């Protein structure tokens, strides 16, 4: 940078003030003291109130409990940038203005979770104990579960909108309770800066594809569907501040809920190693078009953005099943053709015995793929004392508290395309 | 069938799939529900088209190929697959 | 000392050629045919206590019977092949070891990597053999080495000549996929052009048949997956997930009359096919070209199945059976119409 010129959006830094939630409960007022988060059900209900919802029910589901949450929809980590939100969740809670700078308070170890029936939603489950608990990030958080009854005559889209706004507002309100508390951790986060390829440390960025298929299968950026957008360079701080909100309820194991965008695993890894064995080059978000021609255009354009941002390598993440594989494959080849090393995060659909063709759409020229596990691997889940989100698991036609066998595909975020998980498939 | 030494001309519409799965001799047709037909033509025109398809198939059968190859009516061999199969299996 | 039962076809059992392809299965004591050499190679630690042979034409459909015979000899391991590139034999070998595996019996098969039966072995290891029977000796050497390793409790890998599908087994990893993806990016940037956790899918590599030298001298077969059957489907061809294929006569016919045929295919609109069956099976054009001398002759029947959600296993079997049938019939080329 020539001396005397300062870039207006120069290296942006975000400070996370982290408050660890150790215990939860209900009480008269919503408060946060010494790691104990108490929620006032009345206050929460008034935050969630909407014409499209006849009633809501609130429950805590905590790690280790004999509890299952079924029909899981979205999950949000309680965060705020100040009283009234301070700009958090721009486009939904805060006004739609670029965020990602300054201070953000985080209630770590807690999540606001909506659960219940919505059209086109595929039944997702979280177990708070047993073999499936470790397979979902929500198995390790204190989950404030919101169950709901739609108002008579309300359109499902309105119900969906109400739940989304309500959960985000509630997540904000919970974090506000910690504004005056001394944080347990202060995390100062670097931001990627412009740079040329081929420097001392390799510049590695991440390309995150967002599902954009309309009602109940859409992802919002600054409050608007990302469906018609072109690939966009984001500051990772914008993810922290909830600029990306999930309204997509398909493919349970392959879900990227709002919680996961707020805590983007690949971004976290790149931030962790920035200045050590790599330079964090940036975040590019892309829609996932449903038509081949558009997929090709978006993929070529994304590669162009990565090249302009000086990526030496790009990690690709997806959202969805085989159709989403196509977007990753096309981008990997487009990046490869520009001399940028692509690595694709793929879940495998290898069948119950693991011998099926594991990748639905593989790249043709690029070949570096990381496995996030086998979709079809069978799990035997134990009986639970309590279940939230529904009375029955329609998938296997049994009570939600029953013991049953399901493929890993049903566990919320188990095959996390954003790389959260610790399972993989290997040649046997 | 090709493996057994019987050259086979595959008449199909979804040519890229045929290439992907490795069919060596592919002749492009005009529609899925009528591989050797074309209802947009009159009876005589359709018979002519069908004959041309079969002639193209005969040409494919008499042509040496080494990888998935597409034959088009009136143009003969037009392409070889660019999506070449990997030359060796990679075991992770 | 492990007990091994060996599976071979009628030819390698010394029973006969194509004339015996419909015979068996039969259980014999000790090693038979190439089993004798194989027994020497695995001795003294292991013993081939029995051999089951079955005719190539009937074996793929008699897998349960074959496995029952195999198990009656109380083996620790079943070994099938080497089948080289023989499609029916390879398919039988793969199915036998896969079925034995389901019944809890360990197995290993041997065939060439181009053998169409390869992908039916399930998760059971298949070791590469040579292409032709002349390569029996090195094929047996490799198979014997694989048998020893398996019986020692080891997993066969590409270094042992293992081919075909490897089961992808779920494991728990120390680091997250996010960490591993960044690690892999650094490895690739470091110059390793091949590192990956998931191998590229293996596409079927087909070595194309030699072209027909002169179509005017050859008998051509018309075959289809368009589900076109005679009459009102008296033989019950399925409209999806077909488990069989059928044949109908073309002898003496120059054309397919619209009312005499119908398509039962559930995967496309059959209106046009029923209006004019030639849109599925181009008999009229083929007869015309035959009359003009461009084609030596047409096979006196056509083969049909329904290509709608057909399992890869069944589709492969149909192709192998059609090939066998055509070779026996004298047809030397085919036109396959697909919908």
């Amino acid at each position: 940078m020539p001396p005397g010129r300062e870039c207006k959006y120069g290296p942006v830094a975000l400070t996370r003030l982290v408050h660890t939630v150790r215990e939860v409960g209900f009480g008269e007022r919503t408060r946060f003291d010494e790691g104990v988060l108490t929620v006032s059900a009345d206050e929460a209900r008034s935050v969630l109130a909407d014409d499209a919802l006849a009633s809501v029910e609130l429950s805590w589901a905590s790690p280790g409990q004999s509890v299952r949450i079924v029909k899981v929809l979205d999950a949000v980590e309680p965060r705020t940038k100040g009283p009234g939100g301070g700009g958090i969740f721009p486009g939904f809670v805060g006004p739609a203005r670029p965020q990602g700078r300054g201070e953000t308070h985080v209630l770590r170890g807690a999540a606001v979770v909506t659960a219940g029936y919505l059209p086109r939603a595929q039944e997702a489950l979280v177990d708070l104990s047993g073999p499936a608990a470790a397979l979902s990030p929500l198995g390790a958080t204190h989950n404030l579960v919101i169950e709901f009854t739609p108002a008579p005559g309300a359109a499902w889209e309105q119900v969906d909108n109400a739940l989304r706004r309500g959960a985000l507002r509630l997540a904000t309100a919970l974090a506000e309770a910690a504004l005056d508390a001394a944080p347990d951790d202060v995390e100062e986060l670097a931001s990627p800066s412009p740079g040329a390829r081929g420097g001392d440390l390799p510049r590695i960025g991440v390309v995150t594809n967002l599902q954009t298929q309309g009602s109940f299968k859409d992802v919002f950026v600054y409050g608007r569907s990302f469906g018609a957008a072109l690939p966009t360079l984001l500051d990772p701080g914008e993810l922290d501040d909830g600029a990306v909100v999930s309204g997509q309820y398909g493919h349970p194991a392959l879900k990227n809920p709002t919680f996961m965008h707020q805590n983007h695993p690949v971004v976290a890894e790149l931030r962790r190693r920035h200045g050590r064995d790599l330079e964090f080059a940036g975040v590019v978000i892309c829609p996932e078009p449903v038509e081949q021609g558009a997929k090709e255009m978006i993929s070529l354009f994304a590669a162009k953005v990565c090249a302009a941002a000086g990526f030496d390598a790009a990690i690709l993440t997806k959202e969805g099943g085989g159709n989403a594989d196509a977007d990753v494959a096309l981008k990997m080849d487009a990046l490869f053709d520009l001399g940028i090393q692509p690595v694709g995060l793929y879940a495998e659909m290898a069948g119950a015995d693991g011998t099926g063709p594991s990748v639905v759409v593989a790249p043709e020229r690029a070949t570096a793929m990381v496995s996030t596990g086998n979709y079809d691997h069978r799990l035997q889940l134990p009986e639970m004392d309590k279940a939230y989100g529904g009375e029955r698991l329609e998938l296997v036609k049994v009570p939600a508290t029953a013991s049953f066998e399901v493929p890993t595909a049903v566990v919320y975020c188990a095959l996390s395309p954003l790389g959260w998980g610790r399972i993989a498939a290997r040649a046997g | 069938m090709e493996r057994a030494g019987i050259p086979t001309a595959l008449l199909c519409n979804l040519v890229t799939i045929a290439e992907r799965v490795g069919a060596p001799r592919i002749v492009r047709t005009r529609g899925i529900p009528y591989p050797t037909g074309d209802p947009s033509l009159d009876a005589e025109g359709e018979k002519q088209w069908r004959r041309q398809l079969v002639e193209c198939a005969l040409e494919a059968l008499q042509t040496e190929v080494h990888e998935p190859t597409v034959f088009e009516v009136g143009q003969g061999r037009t392409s070889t697959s660019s999506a070449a199969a990997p030359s060796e299996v990679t075991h992770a | 000392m492990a007990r091994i039962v060996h599976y071979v076809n009628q030819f390698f059992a010394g029973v006969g050629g194509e004339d015996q392809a419909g015979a068996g299965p039969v259980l014999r004591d000790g090693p038979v045919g190439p089993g004798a050499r194989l027994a020497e190679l695995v001795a003294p630690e292991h013993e081939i206590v029995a051999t089951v042979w079955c005719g190539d034409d009937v074996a793929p459909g008699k897998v349960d019977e074959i496995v029952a015979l195999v198990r009656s000899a109380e083996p620790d391991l079943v070994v099938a092949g080497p089948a080289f590139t023989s499609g029916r034999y390879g398919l039988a070998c793969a199915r036998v070891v896969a079925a034995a595996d389901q019944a809890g019996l360990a197995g290993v098969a041997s065939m060439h990597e181009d053998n169409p039966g390869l992908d039916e072995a399930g998760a059971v290891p298949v070791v590469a053999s040579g292409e032709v029977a002349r390569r029996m000796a090195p094929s047996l050497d490799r198979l014997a080495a694989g048998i020893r390793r398996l019986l020692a409790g080891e997993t066969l890998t590409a270094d042992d000549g293992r081919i075909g599908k490897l089961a992808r087994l779920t494991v728990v990893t120390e680091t997250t996929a996010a960490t591993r993806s960044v690690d892999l990016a650094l490895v690739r940037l470091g110059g390793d052009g091949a590192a990956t956790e998931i191998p590229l899918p293996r596409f079927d590599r087909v070595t194309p048949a030699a072209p027909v030298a002169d179509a005017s001298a050859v008998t051509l077969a018309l075959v289809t997956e368009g589900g076109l059957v005679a009459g009102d489907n008296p033989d019950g061809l399925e409209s999806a997930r077909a488990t069989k294929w059928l044949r109908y006569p073309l002898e003496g016919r120059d054309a397919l009359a619209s009312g005499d045929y119908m398509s039962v295919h559930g995967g496309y609109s059959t209106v046009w096919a029923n209006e004019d069956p030639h849109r599925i099976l181009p008999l009229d054009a083929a007869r015309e070209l035959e009359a003009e001398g461009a084609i030596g002759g047409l096979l006196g029947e056509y083969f049909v199945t329904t290509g709608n959600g057909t399992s890869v296993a069944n589709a492969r079997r149909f192709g192998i059976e059609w090939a066998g049938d055509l070779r026996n019939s004298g047809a030397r080329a085919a036109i396959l119409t697909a919908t």
Side-chain angles (χ1 to χ4, degrees):
Chain A
M1 190 118 297
R5 247 195 91 190
E6 206 188 337
C7 179
K8 206 172 174 186
Y9 296 102
V12 173
L14 175 74
T15 304
R16 276 197 304 234
L17 299 162
V18 179
H19 307 272
T20 307
V21 175
R22 279 177 264 276
E23 214 183 294
V24 297
F26 287 108
E28 281 230 0
R29 279 176 40 234
T30 296
R31 42 192 295 163
F32 180 77
D33 298 299
E34 315 273 311
V36 180
L37 176 63
T38 307
V39 171
S40 157
D42 283 341
E43 280 174 23
R45 268 192 282 270
S46 67
V47 169
L48 295 167
D50 189 289
D51 289 340
L53 300 174
S55 67
V56 294
E57 186 98 9
L58 294 156
S59 318
W60 279 113
S62 290
Q65 289 178 342
S66 178
V67 170
R68 173 173 295 141
I69 316 174
V70 297
K71 303 197 207 296
V72 185
L73 298 173
D74 195 24
V76 185
E77 184 170 60
R79 293 191 180 197
T80 186
K81 295 184 75 67
I88 200 84
F89 302 118
F92 284 105
V93 176
R97 294 282 182 281
Q99 294 299 330
R101 293 200 259 168
E103 288 184 351
T104 303
H105 291 257
V106 179
L107 286 187
R108 185 165 293 163
V112 173
V113 179
T114 49
Y117 170 81
L118 278 181
R120 301 181 80 186
Q122 287 177 243
E123 279 182 310
L125 68 82
V126 172
D127 278 1
L128 276 305
S129 56
L135 294 176
S136 175
L138 300 188
T141 50
H142 292 279
N143 303 300
L144 183 57
V145 183
I146 305 172
E147 295 172 282
F148 58 95
T149 309
W156 285 113
E157 284 81 356
Q158 292 172 313
V159 174
D160 181 30
N161 285 341
L163 288 171
R164 180 160 36 258
R165 281 184 195 282
L168 293 170
R169 283 198 211 107
L170 186 56
T172 307
L174 295 187
E176 282 182 57
L179 277 174
D180 293 328
D184 295 302
D185 278 294
V186 175
E187 294 168 351
E188 293 195 308
L189 302 167
S191 270
S193 47
R197 294 176 54 184
D200 285 335
L201 287 177
R203 290 178 53 81
I204 306 185
V206 58
V207 176
T208 283
N209 292 332
L210 306 175
Q211 185 164 116
T212 47
Q213 292 183 24
S215 298
F216 316 109
K217 295 182 79 59
D218 224 348
V219 178
F220 304 91
V221 180
Y222 284 100
R224 307 196 311 173
S225 163
F226 205 59
L230 283 175
T232 301
L233 193 66
L234 272 195
D235 187 288
E238 297 176 85
L239 294 174
D240 270 290
D241 286 349
V244 177
V245 169
S246 174
Q248 188 277 112
Y249 310 116
H251 281 299
L254 300 171
K255 271 282 282 154
N256 300 326
T258 302
F259 184 102
M260 206 51 86
H261 288 296
Q262 293 169 286
N263 290 288
H264 196 305
V266 178
V267 168
E269 182 70 10
L270 292 172
R271 275 171 164 162
R272 192 171 70 82
R273 294 158 85 155
H274 178 67
R276 286 205 254 150
D277 55 0
L278 55 86
E279 255 184 57
F280 180 13
V283 179
V284 176
I285 53 170
C286 311
E288 284 178 342
V290 294
E291 180 264 309
Q292 185 66 19
K295 282 182 192 297
E296 287 171 15
M297 166 58 184
I298 293 300
S299 298
L300 292 168
F301 198 93
K304 212 164 61 68
V305 173
C306 292
F311 284 24
D312 286 311
I315 314 292
L316 289 112
T317 74
K318 66 160 182 174
E319 181 157 36
N323 172 39
D325 280 1
D327 292 90
V328 173
L330 286 167
K331 289 190 180 65
M332 286 179 68
D333 284 332
L335 287 160
F336 180 88
D337 291 341
L338 291 185
I340 299 174
Q341 280 290 349
V343 173
L345 279 154
Y346 273 89
E348 301 183 56
M349 294 182 170
D353 74 354
T355 61
S358 61
V359 167
V360 179
V361 186
E364 288 176 13
R365 299 180 287 291
T367 55
M369 295 185 276
V370 166
S371 171
T372 65
N374 180 10
Y375 193 80
D376 303 307
H377 177 74
R378 308 293 297 183
L379 295 167
Q380 183 64 39
L381 301 186
E383 199 177 322
M384 293 284 169
D385 288 344
K386 190 113 187 57
Y388 300 115
E391 299 274 316
R392 280 165 64 82
L393 194 67
E394 292 311 324
L395 200 66
V396 279
K397 304 217 185 314
V398 296
T401 48
S403 165
F404 45 74
E405 199 194 74
V406 281
T408 306
V410 179
V411 177
Y412 199 70
C413 306
L415 276 71
S416 174
L418 294 178
W420 170 85
R422 283 188 164 81
I423 57 173
R426 294 261 184 278
Chain B
M1 294 185 10
E2 287 266 354
R3 281 202 180 103
I6 308 231
T8 303
L10 174 65
L11 275 52
C12 68
N13 191 242
L14 300 176
V15 167
T16 47
I17 294 183
E19 285 177 312
R20 266 255 158 147
V21 300
R25 298 173 163 93
I26 305 164
V27 176
R28 189 191 303 270
T29 66
R30 283 191 181 153
I32 290 172
Y34 34 85
T36 45
D38 183 352
S40 75
L41 304 172
D42 64 16
E44 198 42 55
E46 202 180 11
K47 279 186 102 166
Q48 253 297 89
W49 168 246
R50 178 154 50 250
R51 188 194 154 101
Q52 286 175 308
L53 272 174
V54 178
E55 285 175 325
C56 189
L58 291 180
E59 187 188 332
L61 292 171
Q62 294 176 98
T63 306
E64 181 170 1
V65 300
H66 298 291
E67 59 200 332
T69 307
V70 180
F71 294 80
E72 310 263 10
V73 166
Q75 298 171 56
R77 158 199 249 143
T78 56
S79 75
T80 52
S81 171
S82 59
S87 59
E88 61 174 35
V89 180
T90 310
H91 295 290
Chain C
M1 155 110 51
R3 294 169 61 85
I4 297 174
V5 171
H6 188 200
Y7 173 78
V8 295
N9 72 358
Q10 83 283 4
F11 174 75
F12 288 104
V15 171
E18 283 301 325
D19 56 308
Q20 292 294 323
V26 172
L27 175 70
R28 301 247 282 262
D29 266 345
V32 169
R37 173 68 187 142
L38 187 61
E40 281 173 12
L41 291 169
V42 298
E45 291 87 341
H46 313 301
E47 193 189 349
I48 296 184
V49 299
T51 303
V52 174
W53 68 262
C54 187
D56 276 340
D57 279 349
V58 293
K62 289 200 172 188
V63 173
D64 289 339
E65 241 183 276
I66 295 168
V67 172
L69 284 175
V70 165
R71 293 177 73 197
S72 71
E74 295 174 349
D76 300 300
L77 184 76
V78 58
V79 175
F84 306 101
T85 52
S86 164
R88 287 168 298 159
Y89 185 14
L91 189 62
C93 287
R95 288 190 175 177
V96 165
V97 296
D101 183 46
Q102 290 293 309
L105 172 61
V108 58
S110 165
M111 66 189 76
H112 188 262
E113 65 174 343
D114 279 346
N115 193 306
L118 178 55
D119 284 339
E120 292 221 16
V124 177
V126 179
V127 170
S129 77
E131 206 176 327
V132 289
R134 272 198 314 281
R135 308 292 299 157
M136 179 66 81
S139 301
L140 288 180
D141 285 340
R142 177 180 267 167
L143 178 55
I147 290 170
R148 286 178 178 285
R149 279 179 54 85
L150 276 174
L151 288 170
E154 295 168 40
T155 306
L156 297 188
T157 69
D159 290 338
D160 302 296
R162 183 168 179 181
I163 51 175
K165 288 187 285 203
L166 293 172
R168 303 285 297 167
L169 303 178
T170 297
V171 298
V172 174
T173 58
E174 240 189 71
T175 50
T176 63
T179 302
R180 298 193 326 258
S181 70
V182 175
D183 289 341
L184 183 54
L186 289 170
V187 164
R188 283 304 192 112
L189 286 169
D192 182 334
T196 181
E197 288 188 359
I198 310 178
L200 275 186
R202 180 182 148 267
F203 294 121
D204 239 355
R205 271 173 37 218
V206 179
T207 307
V212 166
D214 180 5
S216 66
V218 145
T219 303
L220 176 76
L222 296 179
V223 300
T224 182
E225 60 80 50
L228 189 77
V229 297
D232 59 359
N233 195 19
D235 304 300
L237 180 63
E238 301 98 326
S239 60
R241 293 178 289 283
T243 59
K244 61 181 163 214
W245 58 274
L246 303 166
R247 62 180 93 220
Y248 291 105
L250 293 178
E251 201 78 63
R253 272 167 234 249
D254 285 344
L256 306 168
S258 157
D260 294 344
Y261 296 87
M262 63 182 272
S263 169
V264 297
H265 201 292
Y268 68 87
S269 171
T270 55
V271 167
W272 295 286
N274 292 339
E275 236 174 52
D276 182 1
H278 296 107
R279 289 169 171 153
I280 306 300
L281 205 76
L283 181 62
D284 54 359
R287 284 292 187 211
E288 221 177 74
L289 289 162
E290 182 190 20
E292 291 167 21
I295 304 175
L298 280 186
L299 188 64
E301 54 187 8
Y302 74 92
F303 300 160
V304 54
T305 189
T306 301
N308 180 27
T310 332
S311 73
V312 172
N314 279 338
R316 184 167 283 124
R317 171 167 67 89
F318 301 160
I320 293 172
E321 290 169 358
W322 286 4
D325 220 279
L326 291 181
R327 290 204 69 86
N328 286 346
S329 70
R332 279 297 167 268
I335 290 182
L336 166 58
T337 58
T339 56

